[in-house]
Amino acid sequence: VADATARDLGEAGLISAVAARLPQGSGVLLGPGDDAAVVAAPDGRVVATTDVLVEGVHFRRDWSPAYAVGRKAAAANLADVAAMGAVPTALLVGLAAPGDLPVEWALGLADGLRDEAAVVGASVVGGDTVRGDAVVVSVTALGDLGGRAPVTRAGARAGDVVVGVGLLSWSALGLRALLVPDLEERLAGLLPGLLPSAREALDRAVDEHRSPTVPYSAGPALADLGATAMCDASDGLVADLLSMAVASGVRVELEREGVEALDGDRQWLRDVLGDDAVEHALLHGGEGHALLATVPSPALPAAERLGGVRLGRVVAGEGVGWRTGGELVPEGWEHFS
Amino acid sequence: VADATARDLGEAGLISAVAARLPQGSGVLLGPGDDAAVVAAPDGRVVATTDVLVEGVHFRRDWSPAYAVGRKAAAANLADVAAMGAVPTALLVGLAAPGDLPVEWALGLADGLRDEAAVVGASVVGGDTVRGDAVVVSVTALGDLGGRAPVTRAGARAGDVVVGVGLLSWSALGLRALLVPDLEERLAGLLPGLLPSAREALDRAVDEHRSPTVPYSAGPALADLGATAMCDASDGLVADLLSMAVASGVRVELEREGVEALDGDRQWLRDVLGDDAVEHALLHGGEGHALLATVPSPALPAAERLGGVRLGRVVAGEGVGWRTGGELVPEGWEHFS
């Protein structure tokens, strides 16, 4: 089995092998194997979102092991559920893959999806496996609001504080590290005693790119604190805040100190990758899945106890800029360019 | 806009253009445009299923207009929900597409998804659009059981009657018609007076292949009649009944008369495509999305009033065969071969 391909096992065999690795939580009333799954929706509403990852666009099989791709695909969707103020309950996975895909790869993917779902108590409840030239992983996440009103992008009000939880730029900087052709030369330019710390920071960034860490529980917790708007920062800080500003009819002003504080010490990354790369990743790097919320200012201390960092404030107007002046416009990733 | 490509509009522009064409039903509490959608799940449970269609494997852009691909992708998923005894409520759609995909194609796809969903009162509530080399359409359908127990493949009991609703072979015969290289020669061999009827039958089969007609409402209705097991026939009659027989620990015996009756008059297709093709499509043709159910025999008359046709019976044992003798084994489509 270790050397088998998808073609060797066939669709049914592959699905059986994958399903056997997927424990089902108590909220799963019917798991994989039938025409459809049945999942508890105790709230009487279900939150649902879909994200697609394509080989060569969102991941490379030579850069990311299958397990990391699974964790990342799950994280992208689970973060969207959390950003509504909901708790994820289930994942469904559509996989298109060439016939020569090693079964080990499919199983690694399933393990990654399973383990990331388990972080929030969710289960992989179903899916479909078909033949395709490239690997395409389409994940749908379901979630339960537990009685909360969904927190959209449209509720931010002037006077609210903008809070971030999680990492903004590390994933983008990890991708940068993978892409820089002269990384070893740059590292060689450091004093030898500094090398281990620099390598550690780069490894951490690359890990974050391969499978991001997402502060899932902060989503429902910020909703409970009265968050007026929320989203994840998967398109980049400026792009996602702008979409929130547009939806809410307000202006967001960022404060440099808070934005820098959210991501912690990245001096090693500055030394190796350069100030411009770090600045761009902070403002425009995607796939980081920090949660961004606007909260009434009295809720700020409680948000800080959840790990939230004040990034700025909501004012009347439109667009996104620095509080000290200067407009910010998205320089994001365009999928079709 | 008529000549625009996905690349011209960009991801956000494409998503906006698509979302603008998607009306949201009353069960949709939050539609497209935020991190996730919110859909009513009044039953406190949600039925969920995912199917993936790949260009060149499940459809060809030169054979099927985008609208038909959308209807077919929706139908495959909505049928799975109906086969659990549930009423579909929502679709989510992941689309991978090359940058030169005409926007018209994406809009046609959305229209097809929307219109097939509307047949059952469901809405397209969300999705994702990314770049990929081939067109891959991944659809997730959600549904509500309305208090019914889900009807799995595992509940068939000896003594039950096997009932089919919908068309088994027309879709597979439509594909056959598209694939036969000498179709015009075969048609020319008919008497001229017979040609219009033969062409009409072929057109109907091709239409059925491009976007199948599914007896959605029969799913919940058969559940209400006490169906003990149910599935759709998307892998082919024998393959799907075998999976039901295995899951239920029983044997299914088919009756030739009923199986022939379900698909109605296909004499024209026999004349043009041959007896072997018709026989193979009947037993093994996939993508037809007839619903197959086992019901206690007293429920047969009520099932017939729903359009159900008796296809055979459930007996002790294993496997699938003809009642008159002879074993039937799947000769289905293998995705990875």
Side-chain angles (χ1 to χ4, degrees):
Chain A
V1 173
D3 297 333
T5 65
R7 188 183 293 114
D8 297 334
L9 254 68
E11 186 184 357
L14 186 58
I15 289 175
S16 302
V18 167
R21 302 165 91 91
L22 301 174
Q24 300 297 312
S26 60
V28 183
L29 308 171
L30 184 67
D34 220 289
D35 292 87
V38 184
V39 180
D43 173 86
R45 300 167 294 175
V46 62
V47 174
T49 182
T50 291
D51 265 300
V52 183
L53 274 72
V54 178
E55 177 179 17
V57 179
H58 302 87
F59 64 89
R60 284 175 48 169
R61 276 196 268 164
D62 54 344
W63 281 356
S64 291
Y67 181 79
V69 174
R71 291 203 73 136
K72 182 170 178 163
N77 285 276
L78 298 169
D80 282 333
V81 170
M84 303 305 294
V87 176
T89 53
L91 297 179
L92 295 103
V93 184
L95 172 67
D100 64 2
L101 185 82
V103 168
E104 279 299 320
W105 202 93
L107 298 180
L109 180 78
D111 287 352
L113 289 159
R114 173 197 67 202
D115 289 353
E116 190 70 17
V119 171
V120 290
S123 309
V124 180
V125 299
D128 189 23
T129 308
V130 302
R131 178 165 59 86
D133 289 334
V135 177
V136 178
V137 184
S138 178
V139 178
T140 298
L142 307 180
D144 190 74
L145 283 159
R148 293 173 207 94
V151 184
T152 70
R153 295 179 177 229
R157 293 169 304 195
D160 288 345
V161 175
V162 181
V163 170
V165 188
L167 299 174
L168 284 173
S169 65
W170 285 83
S171 169
L173 289 170
L175 175 59
R176 184 90 178 190
L178 288 167
L179 286 169
V180 167
D182 61 347
L183 186 66
E184 288 305 319
E185 286 170 50
R186 295 190 191 192
L187 283 167
L190 296 175
L191 290 174
L194 306 181
L195 203 55
S197 302
R199 280 212 189 271
E200 194 180 317
L202 286 168
D203 286 348
R204 185 181 163 208
V206 169
D207 283 350
E208 192 62 29
H209 171 70
R210 289 195 178 122
S211 54
T213 52
V214 184
Y216 299 113
S217 61
L222 286 165
D224 287 339
L225 292 181
T228 51
M230 188 154 47
C231 63
D232 78 344
S234 55
D235 290 335
L237 177 68
V238 173
D240 280 303
L241 287 180
L242 182 60
S243 98
M244 190 185 274
V246 169
S248 300
V250 297
R251 175 173 176 79
V252 168
E253 290 187 341
L254 289 174
E255 295 152 2
R256 166 66 69 177
E257 191 181 292
V259 173
E260 292 287 348
L262 187 59
D263 269 1
D265 178 15
R266 292 161 304 150
Q267 189 56 48
W268 296 112
L269 301 179
R270 287 186 189 279
D271 290 348
V272 180
L273 300 174
D275 286 343
D276 286 354
V278 170
E279 178 74 3
H280 190 272
L282 190 64
L283 298 177
H284 306 295
E287 307 191 340
H289 304 299
L291 294 179
L292 307 172
T294 55
V295 300
S297 59
L300 179 60
E304 287 172 340
R305 285 193 292 274
L306 298 172
V309 172
R310 179 187 164 119
L311 303 182
R313 61 178 190 175
V314 180
V315 298
E318 59 186 29
V320 177
W322 290 113
R323 184 161 179 177
T324 52
E327 203 64 14
L328 289 163
V329 295
E331 299 173 17
W333 170 253
E334 174 49 63
H335 272 129
F336 288 109
S337 65
Chain B
V1 173
D3 297 333
T5 64
R7 189 182 292 115
D8 297 334
L9 253 67
E11 186 184 358
L14 186 59
I15 289 175
S16 301
V18 167
R21 302 166 90 89
L22 301 174
Q24 301 297 312
S26 60
V28 183
L29 307 171
L30 183 68
D34 221 290
D35 292 87
V38 184
V39 181
D43 172 86
R45 299 167 295 174
V46 62
V47 174
T49 182
T50 291
D51 265 301
V52 182
L53 275 73
V54 177
E55 177 179 16
V57 179
H58 302 88
F59 64 89
R60 284 175 49 168
R61 275 197 270 163
D62 54 342
W63 282 358
S64 290
Y67 181 81
V69 175
R71 291 203 73 136
K72 183 171 178 162
N77 284 276
L78 298 169
D80 282 332
V81 171
M84 302 306 294
V87 176
T89 54
L91 296 179
L92 295 102
V93 185
L95 172 68
D100 65 1
L101 184 83
V103 168
E104 279 298 322
W105 202 93
L107 298 180
L109 180 78
D111 288 352
L113 289 159
R114 174 197 67 203
D115 289 354
E116 190 71 18
V119 171
V120 290
S123 308
V124 181
V125 300
D128 190 22
T129 308
V130 301
R131 179 165 58 87
D133 289 334
V135 177
V136 178
V137 184
S138 178
V139 179
T140 298
L142 307 180
D144 190 75
L145 283 160
R148 292 174 207 93
V151 184
T152 71
R153 294 178 178 230
R157 294 170 303 195
D160 288 345
V161 175
V162 181
V163 171
V165 188
L167 299 174
L168 284 173
S169 65
W170 286 83
S171 170
L173 289 169
L175 175 60
R176 184 92 179 186
L178 288 166
L179 286 169
V180 166
D182 61 347
L183 186 67
E184 288 305 317
E185 285 170 49
R186 295 190 191 191
L187 284 166
L190 297 176
L191 291 174
L194 306 180
L195 202 53
S197 302
R199 281 212 188 270
E200 194 180 317
L202 286 168
D203 287 349
R204 185 181 162 208
V206 169
D207 284 351
E208 192 63 28
H209 171 70
R210 290 196 177 121
S211 54
T213 53
V214 184
Y216 298 112
S217 61
L222 286 164
D224 287 340
L225 292 181
T228 51
M230 187 154 46
C231 63
D232 79 344
S234 55
D235 290 334
L237 177 67
V238 173
D240 281 304
L241 287 179
L242 181 60
S243 97
M244 191 184 273
V246 169
S248 300
V250 297
R251 175 174 176 80
V252 168
E253 290 188 340
L254 289 174
E255 295 152 3
R256 166 65 69 176
E257 190 180 291
V259 173
E260 293 286 349
L262 187 60
D263 269 2
D265 178 14
R266 292 161 304 149
Q267 190 56 50
W268 296 113
L269 301 180
R270 287 186 188 281
D271 290 349
V272 179
L273 301 174
D275 285 343
D276 286 354
V278 170
E279 179 74 3
H280 190 271
L282 190 64
L283 298 176
H284 306 294
E287 306 193 341
H289 303 300
L291 294 179
L292 307 172
T294 56
V295 300
S297 59
L300 179 60
E304 287 173 340
R305 284 193 292 275
L306 298 172
V309 172
R310 178 186 166 121
L311 303 182
R313 62 177 189 177
V314 180
V315 297
E318 58 186 29
V320 177
W322 290 113
R323 183 159 179 180
T324 51
E327 204 64 14
L328 289 163
V329 294
E331 300 172 16
W333 169 252
E334 175 49 61
H335 273 130
F336 288 108
S337 63

